[in-house]
Amino acid sequence: MEAALRASGVPERYWGRLLYKLEHEVFDAGEMFGIMQVEEVEEESEDEAAREAREKRPNPGVELCYKVIVTNEDGLQAASPNSIFLIDHAWTCRVEHARQQLQQVPGLLHRMANLMGVEFHGELPSPEAVDQVLEEMWKFNQTYQLSHGTAEEKVPVWYVMDEFGARIQHSDTPSFAAAPFFYMPQQVAYTLLWPLRDLDTGEEVTRDFAYGEADPLIRKCMLLPWAPADMLDLSSCTPEPPDQHYQAILEENKEKLPLAIDPVARPHDHVFKVYTDVQQVLDHLTHPRFTLTQSEKDADILYNFSHFKDYRRLSQERPHVLLNQFPCENLLTVKDCLASIARRAGGPEGPAWLPRTFNLRTELPQFVSYFQQREQRGEDNHWICKPWSLARSLDTHITKSLHSVIRHRESSPKVVSKYIESPVLFLREDVGRVKFDVRYIVLLRSVEPLRLFVYDVFWLRFSNRPFSLSDLDDYEKHFTVMNYDPEVVLKQVHYDEFIPEFEKQYPEFPWRSVQAEIFRAFTELFQVACAKPPPLGLCHYPSSRAVYAIDLMLKWDSRPDGRRAMQPQILEVNFNPDCERACRYHPSFFNDVFSTLYLDEPGGCHVTRLV
């Protein structure tokens, strides 16, 4: 508990009294504060953007505004150990469950509509009222993340404070600090509120909605949900970050680059001892030139499931040991880095094969400007917010709400990418025209010279509901990853059934030519990833080899001559992908992979050389 309080910045003088309040559930803010209703008057100085935003609100005209003030006749002393208060949470959810909860939890929609100033008539949740609350909630949402548990349990939790907490307004010079606090003994989350100075009776309780951010431009962007502003004049250009950016990532990852080594020559009949903790390799590697060992010390090849860090030591002590990863490969496998290095191919806008992407931590103002420019031009503005390094679509959200994207930045490091609004669809007889994505396995043999192969078999994943740009929180309409939820139908089509069916649906697009475009994109991606020395590019290390999965979709585009074209869109590159389907349908998969990467014998394997 002490570590959590320190991390939240709660002064020690409050700890003893806070523990008492938590144990006995003491909510005594009512003895110190009151909520005052204020009528917002149209100000003469109000700029056009602010007035337009006010008129666009669910209930334009004079809006009720609330303030929390100190009502205790003796005021409030910051030095008093009792001056810390618990705020209860009125609604807690993960974003993907929000709509369902508003529709199904008795009284929740009513309470949220009242709290957010959304008009709500009748007893039954109307779709309009639900939509309005889902949009307005980004002005009220706060977030925290559990640091322990499964990947699913670490997905950020969003919450709305009770009517008292939700009425506390923003100030750049706040009188109070607030922080979420998870009380383990009761498994309950509260918000803690404590004063930053003494307050007299009648003074307002305020907090900083952009707490911790000093940069005035980023603060302005963070405060847009409450203080509309026109950012159209700001450049939306996102050049590749400076070299220091990559150096900082290397240090943050605690990766130590290898020393230069010479490649090790082995006799052509050498049998390699493989040490691995990857079950699929243990079960399926049967090639006679490889034998499994349980001794890491004796191994010629380390095939690890988790990321290797200390290449320097390995290069000094065991340079002959081959391994299944490259130094600095996070430049490919982490989404913000992938977008950064891709700009080497496509300039500040990025290449045609990657959706336009912004790093929300470092490029928020550029994103806001780009969003507003598209809005002004009447262009599609659907975006997909993704955490840098979670897979399986966890904590990934599609939205056309600028406020939602801005607030998602607070939960965990994220990128926002242009959502593909015109995907190439696949007709499923049982469902209709659905989204699909394609997964290719690529094998990187070396960086200098670049030697890259692609496995000849690819895998397909399908949505379960017909595609349209509506119901953005309908997972089975907008996502294709269905194999982690036992409740959900998993549609499987083998690649050799898919190709003729695809060509029947799109006779003017033979798969051979579509795949040639896909392979061109892969080649360009790896060329830019290897174009600069580490940590700006993948590190040339003669003992490294790697297997990656590249997930992509196809979107409709038009060529300069006006003809329709299918443009590959790389979605992500995965390190150490799950090859369960590959092994099940193609038992020789790992034999092919190991032959290509470690024996330099791709002939007779199901692989195509790209570079």
Side-chain angles (χ1 to χ4, degrees), residues 337-597:
C337 297
L338 174 65
S340 298
I341 63 166
R343 290 171 193 162
R344 295 169 191 170
E349 304 277 313
W353 41 258
L354 194 78
R356 182 73 200 268
T357 299
F358 296 84
N359 178 340
L360 285 179
R361 185 180 277 178
T362 56
E363 296 165 347
L364 179 65
Q366 291 88 336
F367 166 69
V368 170
S369 169
Y370 189 69
F371 185 98
Q372 291 185 345
Q373 287 168 26
R374 290 184 70 91
E375 191 169 51
Q376 193 180 50
R377 295 193 297 261
E379 293 173 0
D380 180 84
N381 240 344
H382 287 84
W383 292 82
I384 183 162
C385 236
K386 308 176 186 180
W388 287 357
S389 51
L390 279 178
R392 303 186 355 219
S393 308
L394 291 172
D395 194 24
T396 298
H397 309 284
I398 300 155
T399 184
K400 52 182 182 177
S401 158
L402 179 59
H403 296 171
S404 164
V405 177
I406 290 169
R407 298 301 311 283
H408 270 300
R409 178 181 185 271
E410 295 169 39
S411 61
S412 66
K414 287 194 167 67
V415 296
V416 63
S417 296
K418 182 67 192 66
Y419 185 58
I420 300 169
E421 78 274 14
S422 54
V424 174
L425 302 175
F426 184 80
L427 178 63
R428 278 179 59 173
E429 296 296 336
D430 53 336
V431 173
R433 299 171 69 75
V434 298
K435 282 177 64 170
F436 68 97
D437 72 8
V438 190
R439 166 168 284 196
Y440 281 90
I441 302 288
V442 295
L443 313 177
L444 181 60
R445 165 60 182 83
S446 70
V447 163
E448 282 177 27
L450 176 57
R451 288 172 64 196
L452 185 69
F453 298 84
V454 61
Y455 194 66
D456 291 336
V457 177
F458 56 86
W459 284 270
L460 298 140
R461 298 184 295 194
F462 300 88
S463 297
N464 285 338
R465 298 202 180 111
F467 175 75
S468 67
L469 280 174
S470 60
D471 310 317
L472 300 179
D473 45 11
D474 182 343
Y475 185 89
E476 292 188 65
K477 175 188 280 198
H478 292 280
F479 290 90
T480 56
V481 182
M482 302 294 165
N483 45 326
Y484 295 99
D485 184 345
E487 306 290 303
V488 167
V489 174
L490 173 61
K491 167 78 169 174
Q492 297 205 5
V493 176
H494 210 255
Y495 83 111
D496 52 6
E497 297 163 38
F498 168 82
I499 293 172
E501 186 53 43
F502 178 88
E503 292 179 336
K504 197 168 91 187
Q505 295 182 21
Y506 299 104
E508 68 278 37
F509 294 96
W511 184 256
R512 195 178 62 256
S513 58
V514 174
Q515 186 166 263
E517 284 297 316
I518 291 171
F519 288 176
R520 192 171 297 130
F522 293 173
T523 302
E524 211 167 283
L525 169 60
F526 278 86
Q527 282 168 339
V528 296
C530 300
K532 294 188 179 184
L536 284 60
L538 265 66
C539 178
H540 164 58
Y541 183 55
S543 292
S544 283
R545 317 279 190 269
V547 177
Y548 305 106
I550 303 185
D551 294 335
L552 64 101
M553 286 176 59
L554 299 169
K555 79 164 185 182
W556 290 113
D557 217 342
S558 50
R559 295 284 178 249
D561 62 5
R563 283 185 312 127
R564 281 209 315 171
M566 289 183 182
Q567 173 63 56
Q569 297 286 279
I570 291 177
L571 305 178
E572 59 184 33
V573 180
N574 296 282
F575 162 77
N576 241 339
D578 177 2
C579 296
E580 188 263 331
R581 279 210 280 176
C583 295
R584 186 172 356 138
Y585 295 109
H586 308 276
S588 68
F589 174 76
F590 273 112
N591 290 345
D592 290 347
V593 166
F594 274 68
S595 295
T596 303
L597 291 181

Side-chain angles (χ1 to χ4, degrees), residues 1 14-25 183:
M1 180 160 158
Y14 301 132
W15 292 4
R17 191 66 192 146
L18 172 63
L19 186 60
Y20 177 85
K21 290 186 179 186
L22 287 165
E23 282 174 352
H24 298 88
E25 297 184 38
Y183 184 48

